[in-house]
Each structure stands twice: as C-alpha cells, then as structure tokens.
Amino acid sequence: MMLALAAIIGLASCSTEEVISGGNTNGGDSFVEDKGKNELKSVSLKLVSETSSTRAENNSVSNSSKVVFNGGYLLFASEQHNITKVTAITNANPNVNNDSEIDINLLTASGGAEISNVPGHSKYAYVIGNVPAEIGSPTTGQSIAALKQKLVLYSSQGNISSVALFGGNDITLDNSLNKYVSRFKLAPLAARLEIGKISSALGSDIDSFRVDGIFINNYYGAVSLAGDAPAAAIKNTNVADFAQPSSAYPATDAGILFDYKDAANFSLGISADNGRSYTPSTGDAWTYNPLAPKTCSVEALTTPHIVIRLSGIHTANGVDYNGEWYLTISGLKVGNSKVNYLEPGKVYSIKNIAFSHSNIQPEPEMKTMDVTVEVNLVEWEVSDTDVIFGQE
C-alpha cells in the first residue's frame, strides 16, 4: 500500500486573533483568520494520511512499501507568486513549534500545528516533501514559478520512503462554508514498477536459464516540480550498455535503474523449478521508481522499457543458446488499452514475466513486447499485474 498525504489549509474571515479549527469527517480541514491584506495571520496546518480501496482483486507483491512524508517546507506566496513565508517541517527536533520550524508529529496530530506571522497578502499555499538535494531550500521572495521549474533527478528517487512530493493550490472562497480554503494532495513525482518473478512460460521448451540483470531503459532523467520533463527519455541501445560496469548504468544507479548479479553469483535472484524461474533474493519484488512527468517539453510522453539480460538458456530438446540474450518490454496495457505514460503515484505491479524462446533476442530493443497489467485508477494504491507478450 502506498500512503497519500493531504495538506489542507483554510482562511476563515475573522476580526480577532482567533484561529478557527474544524474539519470534515476525515479531520482534514484547518482554517486561518484573515485580518486584512496588510496584517499578519495565524495558520493551522494539518497533514492527513489517506488511503483508498483498491480495485485489484489481490494484494501487490510488495504491499509493505509506502510513500511517507519525512520532512519538507510549507510555503505561502503572494498574488504576484513570490514566496511570502517559509516554514520548515522536520522530525529532527520534536520540541520545535515556532514561526520558522514545526514538527511533523504536530502536523499529524488531531489539532494540527499553528504557524504565526503569515503575511496577510498570501494567496497561495504549497508544500514540498522529502526535498532532494538538487532542489535545495526555498527562500522568502523567491518566485514560485522559478521554484516549480527546478529539476528533481532520477538518481534521488531510488528509495520509495523518500520520493519527492509536491502540492499546492490557490486560496479560494468556499461559499458553502463561508471560508477561504486551500486543499491539495502531496503527490509524488515518480511512479513505481514492481517485478515479482521471471520464469519460463508454461509449455515453453526453455527448461533452464539465468538472469544476469534487469535494466530500466527509455527513462526520464529529470522532471520539474511542476511535472514537466525538459528532455527526451534516455534510451540505451548498445549491447555493451547492459552490463556491469557500464557508462550507461554506473554502479551508483544500482537499485535505482538496474539490478545485476554479483560477480560471485550464478544469477540474479533465487532459482526455483530446476532453474525455470527466479525471484528476488530479498523482498517480494525487484522495484524501481522512475520519474513520471505529466508533460514533456520536447516529445510525447512515453513509458519506460524493461530490458532483462539472460544467459545459460537451455531447452528441453538439448539446444543451448550461447552468450547473452534479451527480453525487452516496451509498453504496458490495461486490459486492451495501451498505457501511453506512467502516472505519478501509481504502482505497476508485475507478478510474473513468463517468456518463451520466441520472446528473446540476441540484442536489446530489437523485438519488443507489451505487458498487460491491471493498474488501479485510484492514486496511491497497488494492483496486481498479469503479463502477456506481443510485438509492436
């Protein structure tokens, strides 16, 4: 299960210093007094964990993996889109609760946390969570537009518990409540791919093989906080790229873009069925968190490819496939509909990639296959995936 975090802020029109806090049935509302454009406000902020019922019939192979909020920044901005106040959100100092720093535990408590001295002309609210080093610390007076164009790199998103989160919205009048409110979800900038098993298909004449490595190809190297990829997807095609060491897949990207067998190991993963299948040595799945932009400035959005390098392939009729061979998965399908791009915050879980000799090629990206999946249409949920092969 993946965890959603919602930040809900509101401004109640008041004439005193009172902070009005209330809420819906989810306990997610908090309100801010408004004494005038040129005066200060007190703000009550609450982060709410949200989950939704999955549409999948079964649980995901890595159901324990979650997106969590480890810290970040609460930002307010003026009508001119300049930051008027920055408050750090941290779990490093549990006693902090002042204008410039608040504790995560206070935000998730039933009453939320109060931030004082928010400029009265603030018109927008934003939260950045799990801030990667390349984004840095926002500052008062900084342009929100410029901040949104800062780039998050694929290399900082390898750990599901610290993927970058971003959300924000206008502060608008809710006529039904007679209050000014700003409600938004903190959404990740990445999606998640899970592969639970690689096996010889039922009825296939391949009776044993080895997995040398799994590589994510055709991936986006960076995406802005606003969700735009400034460059085309990176696609490697040389056989030499899909090895270790490799300039295309350096050791620093292990577990982020690829998994590869150790030099002392016969294969990647644990063998079963007399060498007909492999599962991860640790955990329930090989997992990757590719960036999932909403737009791309230079091309139509595309999905990552999964390239699996195989060796030691042997068939029941005694034929050996010498050297290395490759499976290339170039796309995903939901039912009969092709997935044109990964959606941020969604998990694409593949229970088993079952292949036959007709699916393998002597080079990567030669003959590609689509994978049919059942992807839940609700954010932050996991769905099981079945695999079939087809040629584009």
Side-chain angles (χ1 to χ4, degrees):
M1 184 180 298
M2 302 181 76
L3 182 66
L5 293 166
I8 310 179
I9 305 171
L11 291 79
S13 186
C14 306
S15 58
T16 68
E17 287 282 341
E18 177 186 11
V19 176
I20 300 178
S21 62
N24 55 25
T25 56
N26 292 324
D29 286 340
S30 51
F31 305 118
V32 184
E33 67 172 338
D34 187 356
K35 293 182 60 183
K37 290 185 177 181
N38 298 319
E39 299 189 39
L40 299 176
K41 302 173 182 178
S42 293
V43 175
S44 181
L45 169 69
K46 186 172 182 180
L47 295 183
V48 182
S49 300
E50 296 183 352
T51 58
S52 304
S53 59
T54 177
R55 298 184 185 183
E57 295 181 357
N58 301 300
N59 291 327
S60 168
V61 293
S62 59
N63 202 39
S64 61
S65 298
K66 296 180 180 180
V67 169
V68 297
F69 184 88
N70 293 310
Y73 296 97
L74 165 65
L75 312 175
F76 290 94
S78 67
E79 190 171 6
Q80 291 72 38
H81 301 279
N82 295 318
I83 296 175
T84 59
K85 185 176 179 64
V86 177
T87 298
I89 305 171
T90 179
N91 57 12
N93 187 350
N95 298 315
V96 167
N97 184 19
N98 55 44
D99 289 345
S100 62
E101 191 172 355
I102 52 179
D103 175 43
I104 291 176
N105 292 330
L106 295 175
L107 294 187
T108 56
S110 58
E114 183 177 329
I115 305 97
S116 60
N117 298 325
V118 176
H121 63 291
S122 301
K123 295 296 183 182
Y124 309 95
Y126 298 90
V127 172
I128 309 175
N130 305 335
V131 185
E134 59 265 27
I135 295 298
S137 303
T139 57
T140 301
Q142 183 179 6
S143 164
I144 282 291
L147 178 64
K148 288 181 177 180
Q149 293 309 307
K150 283 199 168 187
L151 297 179
V152 173
L153 305 179
Y154 77 89
S155 54
S156 66
Q157 302 302 292
N159 190 337
I160 191 65
S161 65
S162 58
V163 295
L165 307 168
F166 183 71
N169 206 352
D170 300 354
I171 297 170
T172 59
L173 177 63
D174 187 325
N175 290 312
S176 63
L177 297 174
N178 194 30
K179 293 181 176 72
Y180 288 91
V181 300
S182 182
R183 295 184 176 93
F184 52 89
K185 286 188 177 182
L186 300 183
L189 300 178
R192 187 164 175 85
L193 291 173
E194 300 180 347
I195 303 170
K197 185 178 181 180
I198 301 170
S199 68
S200 174
L202 184 66
S204 170
D205 60 352
I206 294 177
D207 61 5
S208 65
F209 65 95
R210 298 191 297 268
V211 179
D212 292 345
I214 303 171
F215 300 84
I216 303 302
N217 199 23
N218 200 55
Y219 64 92
Y220 290 101
V223 65
S224 69
L225 284 176
D228 181 69
I234 298 170
K235 185 174 182 179
N236 300 300
T237 57
N238 295 325
V239 171
D241 292 336
F242 298 90
Q244 273 295 290
S246 158
S247 59
Y249 295 94
T252 52
D253 287 343
I256 300 173
L257 284 181
F258 74 93
D259 284 287
Y260 200 80
K261 66 180 182 180
D262 294 333
N265 289 347
F266 181 75
S267 176
L268 177 68
I270 300 173
S271 173
D273 305 320
N274 295 318
R276 290 181 61 93
S277 68
Y278 289 86
T279 55
S281 300
T282 58
D284 295 322
W286 290 287
T287 59
Y288 311 94
N289 306 321
L291 292 171
K294 299 175 183 177
T295 59
C296 181
S297 300
V298 298
E299 67 175 6
L301 290 175
T302 182
T303 58
H305 294 183
I306 303 170
V307 176
I308 301 172
R309 174 173 152 165
L310 306 172
S311 63
I313 298 174
H314 180 76
T315 66
N317 58 11
V319 175
D320 291 319
Y321 286 72
N322 296 323
E324 293 76 38
W325 292 75
Y326 298 87
L327 296 171
T328 301
I329 297 170
S330 65
L332 307 175
K333 290 182 179 178
V334 177
N336 293 321
S337 299
K338 189 175 180 66
V339 176
N340 293 318
Y341 51 88
L342 299 189
E343 296 186 51
K346 291 189 177 177
V347 178
Y348 300 80
S349 180
I350 303 171
K351 283 286 192 181
N352 182 21
I353 296 178
F355 68 96
S356 66
H357 72 276
S358 62
N359 303 127
I360 60 176
Q361 294 292 316
E363 294 183 12
E365 300 286 354
M366 287 182 63
K367 179 180 179 182
T368 61
M369 301 164 286
D370 283 348
V371 180
T372 295
V373 299
E374 294 178 5
V375 177
N376 185 16
L377 300 180
V378 180
E379 279 190 318
W380 309 106
E381 291 293 336
V382 174
S383 64
D384 290 328
T385 300
D386 293 324
V387 176
I388 64 172
F389 298 113
Q391 186 172 358
E392 289 190 331

